Amino acid sequence: MDSAQFARDRDLETRKKWWEAYSYYRDVIEDESSWFVKKLEGGEVVITDNWRVYHARKEFKMTADGQERILCTACMDWNSMANRVLSPEKGEFVFLEIDQH
């Protein structure tokens, strides 16, 4: 449902309550004191559960000539993640390793 449809289908009191809740939520997520910010180094990986963590990326700023940003995304079913990574067989983790030279 788009926002125009939402507005047409809701009474004024409901729309006011929605806007109040939305404004509160927006203030909370924009409060930088609750942010965790980390600049990743080469070879570092972040795995985020999109259903549980509100996340974003900041603007990429080149610090050297020829530097580029490589951003790769992948989707993984949570059951696969839990079965393959979090509950490894024989106590051996199934993490990919990156050879750091």
Side-chain angles (χ1 to χ4, degrees):
M1 169 184 323
D2 65 20
S3 57
Q5 183 70 39
F6 177 84
R8 281 192 301 272
D9 292 349
R10 304 302 183 277
D11 61 272
L12 182 58
E13 189 58 35
T14 300
R15 291 193 312 255
K16 285 180 179 178
K17 287 179 182 178
W18 182 91
W19 188 257
E20 181 181 321
Y22 169 80
S23 297
Y24 171 80
Y25 177 72
R26 178 117 188 189
D27 288 345
V28 168
I29 63 173
E30 290 184 350
D31 177 7
E32 293 186 30
S33 70
S34 64
W35 292 4
F36 171 78
V37 178
K38 170 149 179 37
K39 180 178 179 183
L40 296 178
E41 302 298 326
E44 289 186 312
V45 175
V46 173
I47 298 174
T48 305
D49 182 345
N50 284 342
W51 290 97
R52 297 173 188 249
V53 177
Y54 186 81
H55 59 284
R57 292 176 291 278
K58 288 191 168 193
E59 175 185 357
F60 176 71
K61 296 177 183 166
M62 287 188 10
T63 56
D65 287 336
Q67 184 181 29
E68 61 182 331
R69 177 182 198 167
I70 300 173
L71 180 65
C72 301
T73 61
C75 295
M76 180 181 286
D77 173 68
W78 176 249
N79 290 329
S80 297
M81 176 76 164
N83 291 334
R84 302 246 337 158
V85 177
L86 301 177
S87 301
E89 294 179 17
K90 301 178 184 175
E92 295 177 20
F93 291 99
V94 188
F95 291 110
L96 297 175
E97 293 184 11
I98 297 173
D99 189 15
Q100 296 184 10
H101 297 289

